[in-house]
């Protein structure tokens, strides 16, 4: 007997009870679409985070004051970053393309009657390249601004829009502490939301910060841009060696500084997002399995209900295999059709979510393949038991069944 | 009718165990069926008529004894081999027709051909012919619930004949029918027999049994008359 005939028989009996077929598929539809949507949401969040981190440049390396978290006895206490540290890094590093010291402080910034708190960062012109900043309006600080400790500033996108609203910032003066700073530029908004971003900063020349505004002897950070992304790790190692030599540290666990790269952050965040995606997908898979149990349940009912039909078919000469196939095809059809509908629904929802809620989604081919193979195997797995039960029925018992 | 023995039972028993108690539905049955015979199996209710027919029709397996069909020893056959024999060499007619309710008369008749892998075109042609032979060609698209009992039974006969079986089994084929329809069905059956079909029919009505060439009587699972070879 040909497969085509088996298909006809099975489709026919599914069609003769359309309501039940649809309800059975519903479990699979919901399961498959939630797998796709969940994975799309997880991936969307991951991509968004990655993009945000990448706007800050993946070859960015930051040197912090640190080491205090190692409470090892005898370990040197936290040692501030000095300008000498910066100078020797600048002189000795081979893998650094750009390098900038940073002296920063959170201060009140005021324009007309608007006051807000911003991170004031005293940096060198190289900072623009190091942090992958883009000037939207005006210009960035220059060497001459720095040499003469000019009171000029470049505003981060958020600061500019909150302080000036619709007024043109460039050329106007803002007040920081009791100094008046001329706004010479505005940075492009990065929209990086919360990863030590540059949107809510005010950038001023390093010497202005050191001599006039912040007046500290120590640096807050040193930002380094590796010459190539592949050299980031080498650049970190190089910076570590230089600083350890300067500070006479032999055991790395006694480091009194800390070096972090954007790449590490990217990797960590990617890892976190992957775990999140897996979790979401796992929850969705559970609902898919529940849908599969629904199929098994209905198939068992169907087998009982159609015992007489099975008896008649067997009396006429249908083999166990014919009956097995008939019921397997029914359950496979339910799950595959449910799977396909679920994929369509999942794609639809994944498309709608960003439009209506603003959450990013990214549908992956893998999630579609996963959902589809899973639903197909569910039809196979949960169909086997009822189908075998049907195929093993003794013809005379099945015929007598009322 | 010739002398070739198509089916032979010797010492066949069918025992149902009901707890400690054993019920011998068939108790040492010997029977020879010759090609072209029309046998009526008679006896009281519970005497084992249906059981005998089901064993002969390979729908049920005997507990003991041997069954030779067309020269082959059936005891050794597995379920699929028996299904194959039923498909290709046996036809069944039941008291309650046993048609599939959701498909048309034509499709019901086609059913055995589907399982034997006949092409759709050929199937349709043969099923229509079979329906015509029982006078049902005008109702080929009706579903069983749109047909009378007599009409259903004719469709069932068409289905039983579609694969050119060697033996047709009928378990009280007129049991659910009125006198007129019963007569129709019986004349179809005796017509089939005249054209050479072997038929084994269970009935408890003696006027129905008169259509048969040989009558055997069962009592408590034993043949008490007609089991020999008298014609
Ligand atoms: N599955 C079964 N389990 C237990 N006993 C059974 C079973 N099938 C039949 N029997 C018993 O076997 C005996 C013979 O049954 P069978 O159906 O062959 O009788 P019958 O001659 O066809 O009767 P009727 O004329 O009423 O149809 C009966 O006593 C019946 O109760
Ligand atoms: Mg009976």
């Amino acid at each position: 007997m040909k497969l085509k005939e088996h298909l006809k028989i099975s489709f026919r009996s599914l069609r003769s009870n359309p309501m039940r077929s649809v309800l059975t598929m519903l479990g699979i539809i919901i399961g498959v679409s939630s797998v796709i949507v969940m994975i799309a949401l997880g991936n969307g969040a991951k991509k968004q985070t990655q993009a945000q981190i990448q706007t800050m440049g993946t070859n960015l390396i930051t040197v912090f004051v640190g080491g205090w978290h190692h409470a090892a006895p005898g370990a040197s206490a936290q040692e501030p970053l000095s300008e000498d540290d910066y100078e020797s890094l600048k002189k000795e590093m081979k893998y650094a393309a750009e390098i900038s010291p940073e002296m920063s402080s959170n201060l009140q910034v005021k324009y007309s009657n608007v006051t807000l708190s911003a991170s004031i960062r005293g940096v060198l012109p190289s900072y623009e390249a190091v942090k992958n900043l883009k000037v939207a309006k005006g210009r960035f600080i220059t060497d001459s601004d720095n040499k003469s400790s000019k009171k000029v500033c470049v505003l981060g996108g958020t600061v500019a829009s909150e302080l000036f609203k619709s007024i043109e910032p460039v050329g106007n003066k803002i007040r920081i502490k009791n100094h008046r700073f001329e706004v010479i530029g505005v940075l492009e908004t990065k929209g990086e939301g919360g990863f030590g971003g540059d949107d809510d900063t005010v950038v001023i020349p390093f010497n202005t910060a050191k001599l006039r505004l912040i007046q500290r002897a120590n640096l807050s950070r040193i930002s380094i841009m590796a010459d190539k992304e592949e050299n980031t790790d080498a650049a970190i190692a190089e910076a570590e060696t230089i600083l350890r030599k300067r500070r006479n540290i032999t055991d790395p666990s006694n480091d009194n500084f800390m070096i972090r790269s954007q790449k590490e952050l990217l990797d960590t965040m990617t890892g976190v997002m992957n775990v999140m995606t897996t979790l979401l997908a796992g929850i969705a898979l559970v609902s898919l399995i529940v849908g599969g149990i629904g199929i098994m349940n209905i198939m068992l009912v169907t087998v009982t209900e159609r015992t007489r039909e099975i008896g008649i078919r067997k009396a006429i000469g249908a083999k166990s295999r014919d009956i097995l196939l008939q019921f397997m095809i029914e359950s496979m059809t339910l799950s595959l059709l449910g799977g396909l509908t679920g994929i369509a629904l999942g794609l639809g929802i994944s498309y709608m979510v960003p439009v209506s809620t603003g959450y990013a989604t990214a549908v992956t081919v893998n999630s579609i393949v996963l959902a589809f193979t899973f639903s197909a195997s569910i039809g196979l797995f949960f169909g086997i038991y009822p189908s075998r039960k049907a195929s093993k029925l003794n013809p005379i018992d099945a015929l007598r069944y009322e | 009718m010739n002398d070739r023995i198509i089916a032979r039972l010797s010492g066949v028993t069918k025992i149902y165990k009901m707890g400690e108690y054993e019920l011998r539905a068939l108790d040492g049955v010997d029977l020879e069926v010759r090609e072209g015979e029309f046998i009526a199996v008679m006896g009281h209710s519970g005497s084992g008529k249906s059981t005998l027919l089901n064993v002969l029709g390979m729908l049920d397996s005997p507990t003991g004894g041997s069954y030779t069909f067309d020269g082959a020893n059936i005891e050794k056959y597995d379920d699929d081999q028996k299904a194959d024999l039923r498909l290709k060499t046996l036809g069944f007619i039941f008291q309650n027709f046993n048609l599939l309710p959701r498909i048309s008369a034509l499709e019901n008749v086609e059913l055995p051909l589907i399982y034997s892998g006949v092409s759709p075109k050929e199937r349709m042609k043969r099923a229509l012919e079979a329906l015509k032979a029982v006078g049902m060609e005008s109702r080929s698209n009706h579903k069983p619930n749109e047909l009378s009992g007599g009409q259903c039974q004719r469709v069932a006969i068409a289905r039983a004949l579609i694969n050119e079986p060697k033996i047709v089994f009928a378990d009280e084929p007129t049991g659910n029918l009125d006198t007129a329809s019963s007569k129709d069905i019986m004349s179809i059956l005796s017509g089939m027999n005249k054209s050479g079909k072997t038929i084994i029919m269970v009935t408890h009505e003696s006027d129905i049994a008169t259509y048969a060439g040989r009558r055997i009587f069962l009592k408590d699972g034993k043949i008490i008359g007609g089991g020999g070879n008298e014609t």
Side-chain angles (χ1 to χ4, degrees):
Chain A
M1 187 172 166
K2 291 194 201 90
L3 188 65
K4 204 176 107 200
E5 306 293 347
H6 282 295
L7 288 171
K8 268 197 217 157
I9 292 176
S10 302
F11 290 169
R12 194 173 189 118
S13 75
L14 286 176
R15 263 210 315 259
S16 70
N17 210 334
M19 188 64 182
R20 177 201 277 176
S21 303
V22 169
L23 284 176
T24 312
M25 280 192 291
L26 209 57
I28 296 292
I29 293 174
I30 291 170
V32 166
S33 56
S34 47
V35 166
I36 290 175
V37 173
M38 290 302 160
I39 294 182
L41 272 172
N43 263 307
K46 181 166 105 182
K47 286 228 170 104
Q48 208 170 33
T49 312
Q50 285 175 337
Q52 284 165 353
I53 294 171
Q54 268 155 358
T55 57
M56 297 185 263
T58 43
N59 34 7
L60 174 64
I61 298 161
T62 313
V63 183
F64 300 90
V65 184
W68 59 88
H69 50 278
H70 301 293
S76 48
Q78 148 177 13
E79 182 169 328
L81 285 173
S82 64
E83 266 186 87
D84 290 343
D85 288 328
Y86 160 70
E87 292 297 344
S88 39
L89 285 173
K90 185 177 164 64
K91 208 182 317 153
E92 292 169 43
M93 278 188 74
K94 287 195 215 72
Y95 292 117
E98 299 283 358
I99 177 163
S100 169
E102 195 181 319
M103 185 177 290
S104 55
S105 182
N106 276 321
L107 294 171
Q108 299 285 319
V109 181
K110 195 173 175 213
Y111 173 74
S112 121
N113 57 351
V114 188
T115 308
L116 53 85
S117 169
S119 164
I120 314 297
R121 296 185 183 169
V123 296
L124 293 179
S126 56
Y127 192 72
E128 184 182 7
V130 171
K131 291 294 293 274
N132 197 23
L133 301 176
K134 295 202 174 57
V135 176
K137 272 180 245 157
R139 61 173 179 85
F140 203 70
I141 53 173
T142 58
D143 275 329
S144 77
D145 293 335
N146 188 51
K147 278 208 185 81
S148 45
S149 319
K150 267 200 204 148
K151 294 203 268 187
V152 292
C153 66
V154 178
L155 302 182
T158 312
V159 176
S161 61
E162 286 184 9
L163 218 49
F164 286 92
K165 309 271 177 344
S166 55
I167 303 164
E168 171 60 51
V170 177
N172 273 311
K173 298 226 157 115
I174 60 169
R175 180 172 286 281
I176 308 175
K177 271 184 168 174
N178 40 12
H179 299 275
R180 287 164 70 78
F181 279 77
E182 187 192 343
V183 179
I184 54 167
V186 175
L187 298 176
E188 257 178 30
T189 307
K190 284 177 167 181
E192 62 241 309
F195 295 107
D198 301 296
D199 287 345
D200 50 6
T201 61
V202 174
V203 175
I204 60 174
F206 180 74
N207 279 337
T208 316
K210 180 179 152 195
L211 304 173
R212 297 181 175 217
L213 192 67
I214 302 177
Q215 294 176 307
R216 261 195 254 129
N218 306 316
L219 306 179
S220 310
R221 278 188 284 256
I222 300 169
S223 298
I224 303 163
M225 185 175 82
D227 55 357
K228 286 187 204 122
E229 199 182 321
E230 316 80 274
N231 289 342
T232 312
D233 289 336
I236 293 174
E238 199 181 23
E240 278 171 349
T241 316
I242 294 165
L243 288 176
R244 281 183 199 134
K245 207 173 86 197
R246 270 185 53 75
R247 298 172 174 210
N248 295 321
I249 297 167
T250 45
D251 180 0
S253 68
N254 289 338
D255 278 355
N256 49 17
F257 59 89
M258 204 165 57
I259 302 183
R260 291 284 176 271
S261 71
Q262 207 68 358
K263 208 165 140 263
E264 278 172 347
L265 180 62
L266 187 67
D267 291 347
T268 313
M269 288 312 293
T270 304
V272 169
M273 292 295 171
N274 281 343
V275 170
M276 190 181 89
T277 307
T278 312
L279 254 159
L280 287 174
I283 293 167
L285 277 183
V286 170
S287 72
L288 194 51
I289 291 171
V290 172
I293 294 170
I295 287 194
M296 175 144 94
N297 191 14
I298 289 298
M299 290 309 294
L300 281 172
V301 172
T302 307
V303 168
T304 313
E305 221 181 56
R306 301 204 335 237
T307 303
R308 250 188 114 74
E309 174 191 331
I310 297 164
I312 294 170
R313 289 183 185 277
K314 284 200 151 186
I316 282 169
K319 294 189 181 59
S320 305
R321 197 180 47 107
D322 296 324
I323 304 294
L324 182 80
L325 263 173
Q326 177 183 343
F327 284 89
M328 280 311 292
I329 291 171
E330 281 185 33
S331 83
M332 292 287 291
T333 307
L334 285 175
S335 69
L336 286 182
L337 227 60
L340 288 174
T341 319
I343 287 172
L345 187 69
L347 290 177
I349 295 174
S350 304
Y351 175 76
M352 286 306 296
V353 161
V355 179
S356 55
T357 67
Y359 285 114
T361 56
V363 175
T364 59
V365 177
N366 281 352
S367 72
I368 296 177
V369 173
L370 174 85
F372 191 75
T373 32
F374 213 85
S375 66
S377 358
I378 269 180
L380 203 68
F381 182 78
F382 288 111
I384 281 177
Y385 175 69
S387 305
R388 277 183 68 89
K389 198 178 151 187
S391 74
K392 286 215 167 108
L393 281 175
N394 177 2
I396 200 67
D397 292 340
L399 275 176
R400 281 216 193 95
Y401 185 86
E402 292 302 332
Chain B
M1 188 164 103
N2 58 39
D3 277 348
R4 209 171 88 85
I5 292 169
I6 178 94
R8 173 189 279 127
L9 297 180
S10 40
V12 163
T13 55
K14 177 75 191 180
I15 299 170
Y16 293 108
K17 283 219 162 62
M18 329 275 288
E20 311 215 325
Y21 172 73
E22 275 189 356
L23 193 146
R24 295 186 163 253
L26 291 179
D27 193 2
V29 172
D30 299 314
L31 180 67
E32 286 180 350
V33 180
R34 280 156 207 281
E35 230 166 25
E37 261 193 307
F38 188 169
I39 300 177
V41 181
M42 304 194 66
H44 294 295
S45 182
S47 57
K49 306 182 293 292
S50 296
T51 309
L52 175 62
L53 203 75
N54 293 336
V55 166
L56 280 166
M58 300 173 206
L59 290 171
D60 210 352
S61 313
T63 313
S66 75
Y67 178 15
T68 318
F69 176 84
D70 210 7
N73 228 341
I74 301 306
E75 302 109 86
K76 297 195 192 84
Y77 278 35
D78 65 20
D79 288 347
D80 280 350
Q81 285 171 307
K82 283 187 213 162
D84 209 44
L85 274 181
R86 284 200 298 277
L87 179 63
K88 292 181 180 137
T89 60
L90 308 179
F92 294 91
I93 302 165
F94 301 93
Q95 179 173 355
N96 55 0
F97 326 127
N98 276 338
L99 297 174
L100 291 187
R102 282 195 279 263
I103 59 178
S104 70
L106 183 73
E107 288 169 307
N108 262 292
V109 177
E110 276 185 304
L111 217 51
L113 297 180
I114 294 179
Y115 287 113
S116 36
V118 176
S119 75
K121 230 173 114 187
E122 169 84 6
R123 238 156 48 200
M124 174 97 132
K125 195 178 128 241
R126 278 169 62 182
L128 276 172
E129 274 168 19
L131 280 172
K132 199 168 178 182
V134 294
M136 287 292 296
E137 73 272 31
S138 61
R139 302 289 156 87
S140 60
N141 289 321
H142 290 233
K143 296 203 170 137
N145 61 2
E146 300 158 353
L147 297 172
S148 73
Q151 289 170 330
C152 281
Q153 198 59 297
R154 286 200 242 174
V155 173
I157 292 174
R159 184 181 65 186
L161 291 177
I162 193 81
N163 257 340
E164 303 282 327
K166 290 190 171 143
I167 305 184
V168 173
F169 297 95
D171 194 345
E172 308 206 28
T174 60
N176 283 7
L177 305 179
D178 61 20
T179 327
S181 310
S182 297
K183 267 195 175 151
D184 288 348
I185 295 300
M186 286 322 294
S187 64
I188 293 174
L189 288 182
S190 67
M192 273 162 51
N193 175 246
K194 292 218 172 68
S195 57
K197 268 283 116 80
T198 312
I199 301 176
I200 305 177
M201 172 184 75
V202 167
T203 184
H204 54 257
E205 296 168 66
S206 41
D207 50 335
I208 296 293
T210 54
Y211 287 90
R214 170 153 74 116
R215 283 172 290 281
I216 58 174
F217 295 88
L218 278 179
K219 191 175 182 240
D220 297 334
K222 291 189 181 75
I223 292 183
I224 55 168
N229 288 325
E230 87 264 29
T231 306

